[in-house]
Amino acid sequence: MTFKFSAENQKTVNEILAKYPAERKKSATMPLLDLAQRQNNNYISKDVIAEIALLLDLPEIKVYEVASFYTMYNLKPVGKFLLQFCKTTPCMLRGIDQIIKDCKAKLGIEINQTTVDGFFTIKEVECLGACVNAPVVQINDDFAEDLTSANFLKILDDLKSGKTFKIGSQIGRQCSAPVEANS
């Protein structure tokens, strides 16, 4: 199968390329990888790399180097919901290890695996930048913050049943306001 940008995304490709002088069009590598990944079931395949290399007049290895360096690009297929667990100190101190353990038990998979039904992939990542509301899990493009095992497992149930989840704090905190004593 050969990857080509959809007609709609080709317009976006043209808009992205127009932002850079012709001699600097390789600077469009990252936004083109992001656009392609979104079109290609959330991963960067070899034919995506080939197409972007062709568009930018680059050797494929140069596109691959960018795609393999940044963790935001998936070089193999992932589930419908990519669950990225923050493993830095604030999240660890607030219980992310137990949440991961409970998630793995519920889904029957390990880190860097996808459920048989293709719904969930779990990964461990470095800081997601929402330390004040730790523990944090990024679900596709959105954050679930102030997590406990109970509220995270409910999020998994909701996603599995086709419901959405509440983005941000799961305990009703406004931004990074202190947690009320009765919460």
Side-chain angles (χ1 to χ4, degrees):
M1 177 177 146
T2 303
F3 176 85
K4 292 289 181 196
F5 283 103
S6 67
E8 180 181 333
N9 280 344
Q10 187 58 54
K11 291 176 188 173
T12 305
V13 166
N14 294 339
E15 291 168 6
I16 290 169
L17 291 173
K19 293 178 182 180
Y20 303 98
E23 69 276 6
R24 298 277 184 221
K25 69 181 177 179
K26 70 181 176 181
S27 298
T29 303
M30 290 183 70
L32 292 179
L33 282 168
D34 180 67
L35 183 64
Q37 179 168 272
R38 290 174 189 279
Q39 179 182 315
N40 197 48
N41 297 316
N42 206 18
Y43 87 104
I44 303 295
S45 58
K46 289 180 182 180
D47 53 334
V48 165
I49 289 171
E51 178 66 11
I52 292 172
L54 183 67
L55 282 169
L56 300 178
D57 297 320
L58 289 172
E60 289 180 24
I61 189 65
K62 292 295 186 185
V63 178
Y64 176 77
E65 287 171 345
V66 173
S68 64
F69 179 80
Y70 293 99
T71 59
M72 64 191 183
Y73 302 119
N74 304 308
L75 296 178
K76 65 179 187 175
V78 296
K80 179 178 180 180
F81 300 104
L82 177 58
L83 311 174
Q84 298 179 78
F85 293 87
C86 179
K87 284 291 289 179
T88 49
T89 305
C91 286
M92 289 176 65
L93 290 173
R94 300 286 315 264
I96 198 69
D97 288 333
Q98 186 62 49
I99 295 168
I100 292 170
K101 180 179 176 184
D102 294 340
C103 177
K104 291 187 329 186
K106 181 175 185 68
L107 298 178
I109 58 174
E110 295 295 321
I111 298 298
N112 296 321
Q113 291 183 339
T114 300
T115 55
V116 176
D117 61 10
F119 262 86
F120 299 104
T121 299
I122 57 177
K123 285 186 169 185
E124 291 179 351
V125 297
E126 290 302 315
C127 185
L128 289 170
C131 304
V132 72
N133 293 349
V136 178
V137 175
Q138 184 174 342
I139 304 170
N140 294 343
D141 289 334
D142 299 311
F143 283 9
E145 304 167 358
D146 294 315
L147 292 170
T148 62
S149 282
N151 63 26
F152 186 70
L153 295 178
K154 182 180 181 325
I155 288 171
L156 294 180
D157 289 339
D158 288 347
L159 292 172
K160 182 73 175 181
S161 67
K163 298 177 187 171
T164 59
F165 73 98
K166 179 179 149 195
I167 297 169
S169 176
Q170 301 303 301
I171 61 171
R173 184 196 313 221
Q174 291 292 325
C175 299
S176 60
V179 177
E180 297 295 324
N182 59 0
S183 304

